[in-house]
Amino acid sequence: MRLRFWHLLICFFVFYVFWDGAIDYFANRPFFNDDSFTFKIIVLTITTFTSFFLYPLSICIWFGRFLPGRVVRALLLCLLCIPVIIFFRYFLQEIVCPAVFGFGNYFRPVSAKYYFQDNLYFAVLFSCFGLAYFFVGYIRVSERRQAALTIAAKESELAFLKSQINPHFLFNTLNSIYTLVYQKNDNALFATEKLSSLLRYALYEERMEVDLETEINHLKDFIELQRLRVGEEVALNMDVENIDGSLLISPHLLINLAENAFKHGDFTDPAAPLIIRATTNDNTLIYHIANKKASKPVMQGGIGLQNIKRRLELLYENRHTCRINESDQQFSITLTIAL
């Protein structure tokens, strides 16, 4: 974790002021008095604060350098810093200050051993502050990093799923056009035009969301293309006009669900038509598809619906429901998305 020196300094200063004020409060001493701003007090306060600040600073430096793998090494180095910091304060206040200013922190000369023992309390107190500061920041950075990794993983998985869906759709549609060309059907040119429009949408639409009107228009093109492929009168009950076209949706979702229906459905029975309905209500899309099952599906493959459900989990987590009803003769799916 990168050390934020000035942030640490400010936090430690606030902690130091509160700690010093608490001592004065419980000792019934005024926090500020006439003696608080004498030259001696100012010098000793600066040297004391500088020395004490080295405890949390050393904690953040060593733990920031060696975590998460070498905790023991970081802890040992922090422990080794404690006597160094204590004797640094001793050097400033009991050697330099008496020599330069004629006063020290103690009223009488003290040995280095006594000074070391007397400062262990401060070493523990401010080292604990350093540990608390570091690990609070470390946890926050770790959470942000984990969130970024999760987002990156989801984007990568979503891109992979989309790369599966597009070739799957292209393969099926080219099969349809091949059939029309093979049969020398005059609709082959019209089908090619529809395919060109759909491919532009599928391959060059790189936005995460498009307006619902655009998705519906391409859904209509897709259905027209599939009606040409079937080559028979398709029993179709379609209602996609009652929508708020300005709402945004992830591209290809509606088309891929319709593709799944055409892949597995039987559309020759007027009593059991293919049903495609889309409505919006209070920024919520309700998309329903129902079809009679074909005894022998026209196209084979099983990755489409699974991938769509996974995309929904990634894109609309806790914002969608996908209800599937299936019997021996009928299949339906109702998708509800809060857009």
Side-chain angles (χ1 to χ4, degrees):
M1 185 180 75
R2 185 173 63 88
L3 174 64
R4 296 187 297 171
F5 178 84
W6 293 108
H7 186 267
L8 172 62
L9 181 62
I10 293 171
C11 289
F12 179 73
F13 176 78
V14 173
F15 176 79
Y16 181 80
V17 170
F18 273 98
W19 169 79
D20 205 27
I23 292 177
D24 289 339
Y25 175 79
F26 288 108
N28 293 319
R29 294 196 304 260
F31 188 61
F32 291 111
N33 52 51
D34 295 338
D35 295 331
S36 298
F37 300 101
T38 63
F39 180 73
K40 176 180 178 180
I41 295 299
I42 292 174
V43 170
L44 293 178
T45 299
I46 292 174
T47 54
T48 299
F49 178 84
T50 302
S51 302
F52 288 167
F53 176 66
L54 295 178
Y55 293 119
L57 182 63
S58 64
I59 293 287
C60 292
I61 289 175
W62 294 123
F63 275 90
R65 180 174 179 180
F66 292 111
L67 245 60
R70 293 173 285 182
V71 181
V72 175
R73 178 178 295 186
L75 185 59
L76 288 175
L77 287 170
C78 290
L79 291 175
L80 289 174
C81 286
I82 288 177
V84 175
I85 296 170
I86 290 175
F87 289 118
F88 173 73
R89 186 188 179 202
Y90 176 82
F91 173 76
L92 287 180
Q93 295 187 336
E94 303 305 318
I95 297 178
V96 174
C97 285
V100 176
F101 305 113
F103 57 79
N105 189 37
Y106 289 81
F107 295 106
R108 57 181 177 80
V110 296
S111 66
K113 179 181 179 181
Y114 176 84
Y115 202 89
F116 179 82
Q117 294 172 341
D118 192 43
N119 274 262
L120 282 178
Y121 164 78
F122 304 111
V124 172
L125 174 66
F126 296 119
S127 293
C128 287
F129 167 83
L131 285 170
Y133 173 87
F134 174 81
F135 280 104
V136 169
Y138 184 78
I139 291 172
R140 291 179 61 187
V141 170
S142 298
E143 289 176 347
R144 287 197 297 266
R145 184 182 294 113
Q146 185 61 41
L149 289 174
T150 301
I151 292 172
K154 286 189 174 184
E155 289 177 347
S156 177
E157 183 177 1
L158 193 58
F160 174 72
L161 293 175
K162 187 175 178 181
S163 72
Q164 284 185 305
I165 290 173
N166 285 341
H168 180 60
F169 165 77
L170 178 60
F171 175 78
N172 292 339
T173 308
L174 285 175
N175 265 349
S176 302
I177 293 180
Y178 173 80
T179 302
L180 294 175
V181 172
Y182 181 78
Q183 296 173 348
K184 297 182 180 179
N185 192 313
D186 293 337
N187 288 321
L189 184 61
F190 178 72
T192 303
E193 179 184 354
K194 292 295 183 183
L195 175 62
S196 176
S197 174
L198 286 171
L199 284 181
R200 280 195 298 270
Y201 184 60
L203 300 178
Y204 298 109
E205 183 53 71
E206 297 181 351
R207 291 175 294 175
M208 290 297 295
E209 293 182 316
V210 298
D211 58 85
L212 191 54
E213 183 178 3
T214 298
E215 177 77 358
I216 291 294
N217 288 336
H218 283 89
L219 172 64
K220 293 177 181 177
D221 287 344
F222 171 81
I223 291 173
E224 287 298 320
L225 190 59
Q226 293 299 332
R227 295 179 75 167
L228 290 173
R229 175 188 64 79
V230 173
E232 302 174 1
E233 188 64 29
V234 176
L236 175 65
N237 184 344
M238 182 174 178
D239 182 8
V240 293
E241 304 303 326
N242 298 316
I243 62 164
D244 181 355
S246 64
L247 295 176
L248 299 179
I249 189 173
S250 179
H252 317 300
L253 276 178
L254 305 187
I255 296 173
N256 292 138
L257 284 170
E259 179 193 15
N260 186 72
F262 274 100
K263 182 173 62 178
H264 298 290
D266 177 4
F267 322 110
T268 60
D269 185 359
L274 169 62
I275 299 174
I276 300 178
R277 293 175 183 165
T279 59
T280 56
N281 184 24
D282 293 332
N283 296 334
T284 298
L285 169 69
I286 303 173
Y287 185 55
H288 176 74
I289 296 180
N291 62 275
K292 180 181 178 181
K293 286 185 176 180
S295 56
K296 293 182 179 180
V298 178
M299 303 181 216
Q300 299 299 321
I303 66 169
L305 186 57
Q306 293 176 355
N307 282 353
I308 293 168
K309 291 170 68 176
R310 183 56 181 153
R311 285 185 67 199
L312 287 168
E313 291 174 4
L314 294 174
L315 292 167
Y316 301 104
E317 185 178 8
N318 300 323
R319 294 168 50 200
H320 82 283
T321 59
C322 185
R323 188 173 68 254
I324 296 176
N325 294 315
E326 186 172 6
S327 64
D328 293 339
Q329 300 294 326
Q330 193 80 8
F331 178 90
S332 69
I333 181 170
T334 302
L335 174 63
T336 303
I337 307 177
L339 300 176

